[in-house]
């Protein structure tokens, strides 16, 4: 069993627990903790060497659909080596764990739902079907550290419907096929150091009772953890299925804010999957929260621009680096933060990089934001270790009172998204702004004329600005204005 519970903090209705997830040849993951979310095998904006030097998360979630862009995927052509195929192909740091699932986090909505014997996935070439047998074969070949079992999930809406019963039945059948139809597959996966996490749907417990009972009675010996797409079901799972209690709990219910992360930890989640770190970095937002929440006026107080000890709460969860307030600011992203980005660079620099659309801006933000989240979970573990459940609950309430409920959206331009990242819905505009526009000569002449008038009215001090505006026109035109 790769997971071990170190301290069960089940007091006053609090189900949080301390543990350690030890995977062969990987750095142990102290829990509660989080894993990063990768895109096409890469944590966005971070190279493997930067991950090793400047981050401390324990692993990353990768989606199989990201690699199935051809009839013969390139990932299957990796020559045998001492490391696992998924690690070799992605050049992922050897001390970190890989978590492989069929779909991305969050997944792009597919045009149609899953079939009775296959998952519908969204690759860079569009929609495709992936049978359960094919997924199991890929897991055996790629050898991730953790493989999430196939689940029949909603493809159009998270709203419950009459399909819930069928979804639970399909998931049960798919897990049976994944584990039992491979002629000793669980043993081969165990020999290859692949831990299997069984999916648990976001559906009421009575609908999933038969499936969960099957996991507890027939498959518990093959499982290392549960991948929960709905956290609310945990109390009933632990109460009614004793053999599933010692398993690691990976949350696939994606939290939109740190308040939701705290709620998942309090419910008993061991490892969280958190894509809002990537989205905040893409938006040019530097995360600025800590747990327990800071006390106003105390050294190390993390606060955004314009927030002082006397300022009323709530405080922002992040700082928009696109804001013109940072044009000349020599301050670090967050005061007191010891991460590489905050100790080596300042707000004015990253603001300039964002305005220039330099990739380094998002790299520095990713380094900072992942550090903030790592420190957040480290503090959670410290509180659970040293304080009783009542103190943890009080800190959670104080955090909710101290900070805003949503992470700032950012006011600038995000990096360009690809088709496998985003699928527009009816009535939505384009996700990417056009890089080039049709040349409009009349508009250019109007701009030049306005600049000429400003120069005549403003004198020589604006002459340089006017010439810059007319850079695309002839030297003769520039000379005539002089």
């Amino acid at each position: 069993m790769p997971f071990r519970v170190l301290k069960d903090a089940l007091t006053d209705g609090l189900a949080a627990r301390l543990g350690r997830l030890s995977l062969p040849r990987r750095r142990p993951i102290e829990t509660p903790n989080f894993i990063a979310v990768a895109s096409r095998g890469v944590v966005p904006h971070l190279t493997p060497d930067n991950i090793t030097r400047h981050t401390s998360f324990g692993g990353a979630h990768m989606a199989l659909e990201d690699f199935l862009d051809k009839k013969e995927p390139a990932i299957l052509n990796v020559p045998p080596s001492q490391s696992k195929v998924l690690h070799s192909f992605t050049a992922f740091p050897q001390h970190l764990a890989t978590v492989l699932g069929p779909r991305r986090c969050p997944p792009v909505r597919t045009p149609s739902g899953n079939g009775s014997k296959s998952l519908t996935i969204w690759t860079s070439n569009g929609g495709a079907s992936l049978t359960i047998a094919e997924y199991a074969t890929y897991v055996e070949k790629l050898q991730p550290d953790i493989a999430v079992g196939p689940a029949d999930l909603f493809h159009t809406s998270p709203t419950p419907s009459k399909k819930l019963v069928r979804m639970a039945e399909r998931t049960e059948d798919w897990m049976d096929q994944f584990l039992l139809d491979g002629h000793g597959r669980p043993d081969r996966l165990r020999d290859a150091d692949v831990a299997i996490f069984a999916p648990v749907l976001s559906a009421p417990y009575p609908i999933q009772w038969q499936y969960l009972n099957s996991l507890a009675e027939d498959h518990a010996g093959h499982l290392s953890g549960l991948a929960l797409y709905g956290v609310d079901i945990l109390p009933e799972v632990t109460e009614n299925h004793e053999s599933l209690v010692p398993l690691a709990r990976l949350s696939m219910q994606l939290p939109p804010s740190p308040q939701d992360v705290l709620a998942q930890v309090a419910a008993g989640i061991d490892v969280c999957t958190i894509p809002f770190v990537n989205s905040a970095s893409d938006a040019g937002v530097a995360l600025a929260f800590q747990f327990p929440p800071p006390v106003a006026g105390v050294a190390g107080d993390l606060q955004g621009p314009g927030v002082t000890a006397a300022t009323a709460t709530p405080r922002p969860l992040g700082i928009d680096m696109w804001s013109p307030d940072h044009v000349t600011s020599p301050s670090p992203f967050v005061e007191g933060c010891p991460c590489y980005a905050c100790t080596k660079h300042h707000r004015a620099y990253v603001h300039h990089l964002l305005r220039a659309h330099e990739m380094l801006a998002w790299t520095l933000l990713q380094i900072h934001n992942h550090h903030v989240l790592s420190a957040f979970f480290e503090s959670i573990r410290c509180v659970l270790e040293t304080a009783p459940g009542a103190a943890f609950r009080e800190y959670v309430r104080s955090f909710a009172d101290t900070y805003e409920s949503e992470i700032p959206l950012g006011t600038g331009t995000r990096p360009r998204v690809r088709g496998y990242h985003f699928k527009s819905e009816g009535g939505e505009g384009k996700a990417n702004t056009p890089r080039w526009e049709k040349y409009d000569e009349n508009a250019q002449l109007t701009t030049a004329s306005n600049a000429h008038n400003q120069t005549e009215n403003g004198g020589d001090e604006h002459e340089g600005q006017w010439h810059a505006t007319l850079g695309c026109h002839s030297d003769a035109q520039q000379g005539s204005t002089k």
Side-chain angles (χ1 to χ4, degrees):
M1 179 70 67
F3 181 73
R4 185 160 63 99
V5 177
L6 301 179
K7 181 180 180 181
D8 198 337
L10 185 58
T11 57
D12 301 326
L14 180 69
R17 60 185 188 177
L18 292 170
R20 178 178 296 120
L21 181 60
S22 301
L23 300 166
R25 293 179 287 179
R26 309 292 176 235
R27 183 176 63 195
I29 302 175
E30 304 295 332
T31 65
N33 216 319
F34 79 104
I35 56 173
V37 177
S39 173
R40 295 178 69 84
V42 177
V43 178
H45 315 300
L46 292 179
T47 56
D49 60 319
N50 279 328
I51 291 176
T52 300
R53 294 174 184 171
H54 306 305
T55 67
S56 56
F57 54 80
H61 177 277
M62 301 183 185
L64 180 61
E65 64 183 354
D66 278 346
F67 305 107
L68 304 184
D69 53 353
K70 297 180 181 179
K71 186 176 181 180
E72 294 293 334
I75 196 170
L76 297 182
N77 297 325
V78 176
S81 64
Q82 293 182 351
S83 61
K84 297 185 176 184
V85 171
L86 187 58
H87 262 82
S88 298
F89 184 79
T90 59
F92 202 61
Q94 291 296 316
H95 65 285
L96 300 181
T98 53
V99 181
L100 183 68
R103 305 221 55 205
R104 295 171 58 88
C105 287
V108 173
R109 293 182 181 180
T110 54
S112 60
N114 299 320
S116 59
K117 298 180 180 180
S118 63
L119 292 157
T120 301
I121 60 175
W122 188 260
T123 72
S124 58
N125 295 324
S129 294
L130 178 69
T131 67
I132 307 307
E134 289 173 336
Y135 177 61
T137 300
Y138 279 118
V139 168
E140 287 197 66
K141 291 182 177 180
L142 302 185
Q143 299 181 342
D145 296 302
I146 296 174
V148 178
D152 187 18
L153 305 174
F154 291 106
H155 76 283
T156 55
S157 171
T159 305
S161 69
K162 296 179 180 178
K163 298 179 180 179
L164 286 173
V165 174
R166 187 183 69 184
M167 291 166 57
E169 292 174 348
R170 276 186 182 175
T171 303
E172 181 179 357
D173 293 340
W174 290 354
M175 280 303 295
D176 287 342
Q177 183 179 353
F178 183 75
L179 292 171
L180 302 179
D181 289 359
H183 304 289
R185 180 178 295 126
D187 293 333
R188 293 196 300 273
L189 291 177
R190 182 176 60 251
D191 293 340
D193 296 330
V194 177
I196 303 173
F197 279 41
V200 178
L201 304 179
S202 177
Y205 175 75
I207 292 178
Q208 297 191 78
W209 175 86
Q210 183 175 342
Y211 166 56
L212 292 168
N213 197 54
S214 172
L215 292 179
E217 295 183 357
D218 302 332
H219 304 309
H222 301 314
L223 302 178
S224 299
L226 300 175
L228 295 110
Y229 291 89
V231 175
D232 294 340
I233 199 175
L234 255 181
E236 293 164 299
V237 172
T238 56
E239 180 181 354
N240 297 292
H241 306 282
E242 185 177 354
S243 62
L244 301 180
V245 174
L247 301 180
R249 303 163 188 170
L250 169 66
S251 173
M252 301 299 290
Q253 179 180 331
L254 310 180
S257 69
Q259 287 88 335
D260 295 279
V261 172
L262 290 171
Q264 291 190 4
V265 170
I269 288 297
D270 300 309
V271 181
C272 299
T273 309
I274 305 182
F276 73 65
V277 184
N278 294 342
S279 59
S281 299
D282 285 347
V285 173
L287 297 179
F289 57 83
Q290 66 181 35
F291 185 84
V295 178
V298 175
D301 187 358
L302 303 185
Q303 46 190 309
V307 178
T308 65
T311 304
T313 56
R315 307 179 183 204
L317 289 167
I319 303 168
D320 180 14
M321 289 298 168
W322 284 94
S323 171
D325 295 340
H326 309 308
V327 172
T328 59
S329 173
S331 302
F333 299 2
V334 172
E335 293 290 346
C337 178
C339 78
Y340 169 81
C342 287
T343 55
K344 300 296 184 180
H345 303 288
H346 47 67
R347 296 183 184 183
Y349 180 59
V350 77
H351 175 81
H352 158 72
L353 293 175
L354 287 170
R355 296 278 304 209
H357 299 286
E358 287 285 352
M359 292 186 294
L360 180 58
W362 292 290
T363 298
L364 294 175
L365 284 166
Q366 278 284 66
I367 290 173
H368 168 79
N369 288 342
H370 279 87
H371 171 84
V372 168
L373 205 57
S374 293
F376 180 71
F377 274 95
E378 184 178 359
S379 298
I380 290 175
R381 294 193 298 272
C382 181
V383 171
L384 291 175
E385 176 68 28
T386 59
F392 180 82
R393 285 190 174 278
E394 181 58 34
Y395 284 139
V396 170
R397 283 193 292 268
S398 178
F399 188 93
D401 293 338
T402 301
Y403 291 104
E404 296 175 351
S405 60
E406 296 180 354
I407 295 174
L409 297 178
T411 56
T413 304
R414 294 169 179 259
R416 295 179 67 81
V417 297
R418 306 299 179 190
Y420 48 84
H421 292 151
F422 173 84
K423 186 175 183 294
S424 61
E425 304 294 334
E428 290 185 355
K430 293 184 177 180
N432 297 322
T433 56
R435 292 294 189 187
W436 306 98
E437 296 180 357
K438 185 178 180 180
Y439 180 77
D440 188 341
E441 185 175 0
N442 293 329
Q444 294 292 329
L445 292 175
T446 300
T447 302
S449 177
N450 292 337
H452 175 70
N453 293 334
Q454 291 175 3
T455 302
E456 287 186 340
N457 295 332
D460 293 338
E461 61 179 339
H462 298 294
E463 185 174 2
Q465 280 186 326
W466 178 55
H467 283 309
T469 305
L470 292 180
C472 60
H473 294 281
S474 66
D475 293 336
Q477 287 176 305
Q478 295 181 14
S480 65
T481 56
K482 294 181 179 178

